[in-house]
Amino acid sequence: VLMQSLAGLWPFVSGTVRLPGGRGDALFVPQLPYLPLGALRSVVAYPNEDRAAGDREIQQALVEVALSPLAIRLNEARDWTKVLSVGEQQRIAFARILLARPQAVFLDESTSALDEGLEALLYDLIQREFPGLILVSVSHRAAVEQFHGRHLELVGDGQWRLDALPTRS
């Protein structure tokens, strides 16, 4: 519910959310990303128009998120939710981050179907590509903490605790 509230999708909250650059420069990535029907090019480029990024840029993003076999299939039109595993769909979402170049990314269990090695590769990738990126993650895996400077714990009854995390080496 926290991520839905921040995204403006949960109507039962009050308050103000200010995002750097506005909503257009923030990307919310759910556990299971939406994959529109159609050419893989459109699926990877979503929510932007498929010609907002060139084929080489889309192919490079697929290679960087460990989906290189898909790089030659950009013109293939399919129901990609039935073709790709959940882990592959989650990696498509990370390719979208590379293409969208947002100022803030909110990941809601966005790597839950990946092993820790692939999860670390993707987190390292976006931090390397966007060093000033504001990154917020909801995860049940402790391994994700190494990619963040703070830990927010919602303790109930409207109470919360924000702790600094040790810096990773």
Side-chain angles (χ1 to χ4, degrees):
V1 175
L2 174 64
M3 291 295 199
Q4 292 169 333
S5 298
L6 293 173
L9 300 173
W10 188 255
F12 308 107
V13 296
S14 62
T16 303
V17 175
R18 282 181 283 185
L19 300 168
R23 292 214 182 271
D25 281 329
L27 195 57
F28 289 84
V29 182
Q31 183 175 20
L32 193 58
Y34 172 69
L35 302 185
L37 294 173
L40 182 61
R41 173 186 295 100
S42 298
V43 170
V44 179
Y46 181 86
N48 297 317
E49 296 200 18
D50 60 344
R51 295 297 177 190
D55 285 357
R56 285 189 120 17
E57 191 178 6
I58 294 170
Q59 289 170 327
Q60 182 62 36
L62 289 170
V63 168
E64 290 190 57
V65 299
L67 289 174
S68 53
L70 295 179
I72 60 171
R73 298 174 68 181
L74 295 185
N75 292 321
E76 236 179 274
R78 295 278 181 95
D79 181 350
W80 292 98
T81 59
K82 294 179 180 172
V83 175
L84 301 174
S85 70
V86 174
E88 290 168 326
Q89 292 178 43
Q90 289 180 342
R91 286 183 274 164
I92 291 284
F94 275 80
R96 290 174 177 170
I97 294 169
L98 295 174
L99 295 173
R101 308 191 70 72
Q103 290 184 32
V105 174
F106 296 83
L107 301 173
D108 190 1
E109 292 287 342
S110 303
T111 55
S112 61
L114 305 176
D115 63 46
E116 288 186 5
L118 196 47
E119 178 181 65
L121 176 125
L122 294 175
Y123 270 89
D124 276 334
L125 172 65
I126 61 172
Q127 287 190 330
R128 190 174 59 250
E129 288 290 319
F130 313 111
L133 180 72
I134 295 169
L135 180 63
V136 178
S137 298
V138 171
S139 179
H140 290 93
R141 292 185 182 166
V144 171
E145 285 185 358
Q146 68 180 310
F147 301 101
H148 298 81
R150 296 187 182 117
H151 177 260
L152 173 66
E153 182 179 358
L154 305 177
V155 293
D157 294 325
Q159 302 296 310
W160 51 274
R161 182 174 40 247
L162 183 63
D163 297 316
L165 292 170
T167 57
R168 76 178 176 157
S169 50

